[in-house]
């Protein structure tokens, strides 16, 4: 169901009957909602962003040269609309941003003017990084998470996993390479 809404780019939205318009909007809504709700945690604000971005996508659909890249193009419009909306509603939604982006460090350092665009981009990058980690083999995931998240040494991981430290070191090197490859592919796919 979700993928069929891209056909909407091939036609003028205003010329569709109301049932098709509702279908395409609802499909677009589902796509966009899951992209940004985890960032803002505010249903009403997310709905406003989705509606504005849908209007932009509808108006600019002729700019899309290749239908296959429509999903990435729409994501970029959604992201830009979210940034614009956050900038214009900065004071009202700053608490949500602080929770989502964990800017406690910035606040503690006295940095109150955090760049919203940079923060949103960092969050999207982190989301892609987490997705790339989840695509790795479980043993690669385990060593990466233990080393970076749990801050365990090679010795601690070797004891916990019942392996030699050299095996842990090799596995960590391989896991980093695999992660870099997957993340680079995701990052470049998102920028196209």
């Amino acid at each position: 169901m979700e993928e069929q809404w891209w056909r909407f780019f091939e036609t003028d939205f205003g010329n569709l009957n109301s049932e098709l318009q509702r279908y395409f909007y609802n499909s677009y809504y589902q796509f966009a909602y899951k992209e940004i709700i985890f960032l803002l945690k505010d249903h009403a604000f997310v709905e406003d962003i989705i509606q504005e971005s849908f209007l932009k996508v509808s108006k600019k659909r002729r700019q899309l040269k290749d239908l296959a890249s429509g999903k990435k193009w729409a994501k970029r419009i959604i992201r830009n609309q979210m940034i614009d909306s956050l900038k214009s509603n900065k004071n009202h939604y700053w608490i949500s941003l602080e929770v989502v982006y964990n800017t406690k460090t910035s606040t503690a350092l006295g940095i109150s003017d955090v760049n919203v665009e940079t923060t949103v981009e960092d969050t999207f990058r982190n989301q892609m990084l987490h997705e790339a980690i989840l695509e790795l083999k479980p043993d690669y995931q385990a060593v990466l998470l233990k080393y970076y998240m749990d801050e365990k040494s090679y010795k601690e991981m070797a004891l916990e996993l019942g392996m030699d430290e050299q095996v842990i070191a090799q596995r960590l090197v391989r896991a980093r390479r695999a992660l870099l490859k997957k993340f680079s592919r995701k990052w470049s796919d998102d920028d196209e």
Side-chain angles (χ1 to χ4, degrees), residues 61-159:
R61 71 178 174 75
R62 295 186 200 284
Q63 293 176 2
L64 181 63
K65 295 176 179 137
D66 179 22
L67 190 61
S69 63
K71 193 173 190 177
K72 293 174 191 167
W73 178 74
K75 275 186 180 183
R76 204 168 306 128
I77 290 176
I78 293 166
R79 186 178 302 171
N80 291 340
Q81 181 60 46
M82 182 172 52
I83 290 167
D84 292 345
S85 297
L86 285 169
K87 284 180 181 177
S88 65
N89 293 308
K90 187 176 182 179
N91 293 335
H92 188 266
Y93 289 99
W94 189 247
I95 294 172
S96 297
L97 284 175
E98 202 167 66
V99 169
V100 174
Y101 302 123
N102 197 9
T103 58
K104 292 176 188 170
T105 307
S106 299
T107 306
L109 295 173
I111 305 168
S112 60
D113 189 22
V114 176
N115 184 340
V116 173
E117 186 172 351
T118 302
T119 308
V120 170
E121 289 297 325
D122 288 347
T123 304
F124 275 104
R125 184 201 61 228
N126 290 343
Q127 178 191 13
M128 283 190 279
L129 181 60
H130 286 107
E131 289 172 2
I133 289 171
L134 292 174
E135 291 176 8
L136 295 174
K137 296 190 304 186
D139 51 336
Y140 286 178
Q141 289 178 26
V143 293
L144 285 171
L145 294 175
K146 287 180 188 306
Y147 186 76
Y148 290 106
M149 301 302 289
D150 298 338
E151 298 179 352
K152 295 192 178 201
S153 68
Y154 287 9
K155 187 174 186 174
E156 291 171 319
M157 289 191 303
L159 287 172

Side-chain angles (χ1 to χ4, degrees), residues 12 38 42 51:
D12 185 13
F38 77 98
D42 184 335
Q51 187 172 24

Side-chain angles (χ1 to χ4, degrees), residues 2-16 20-21 23-25 27-28 53-62 64 67 73-74:
E2 177 185 324
E3 294 304 315
Q4 292 181 6
W5 75 269
W6 297 110
R7 292 187 323 181
F8 146 69
F9 290 136
E10 298 172 337
T11 186
D12 185 13
F13 187 74
N15 292 336
L16 298 173
L20 274 176
Q21 286 180 343
Y23 170 77
F24 282 128
Y25 180 77
S27 297
Y28 178 85
S53 67
F54 185 79
L55 292 172
K56 286 181 181 179
V57 166
S58 299
K59 288 178 186 174
K60 297 180 178 186
R61 71 178 174 75
R62 295 186 200 284
L64 181 63
L67 190 61
W73 178 74

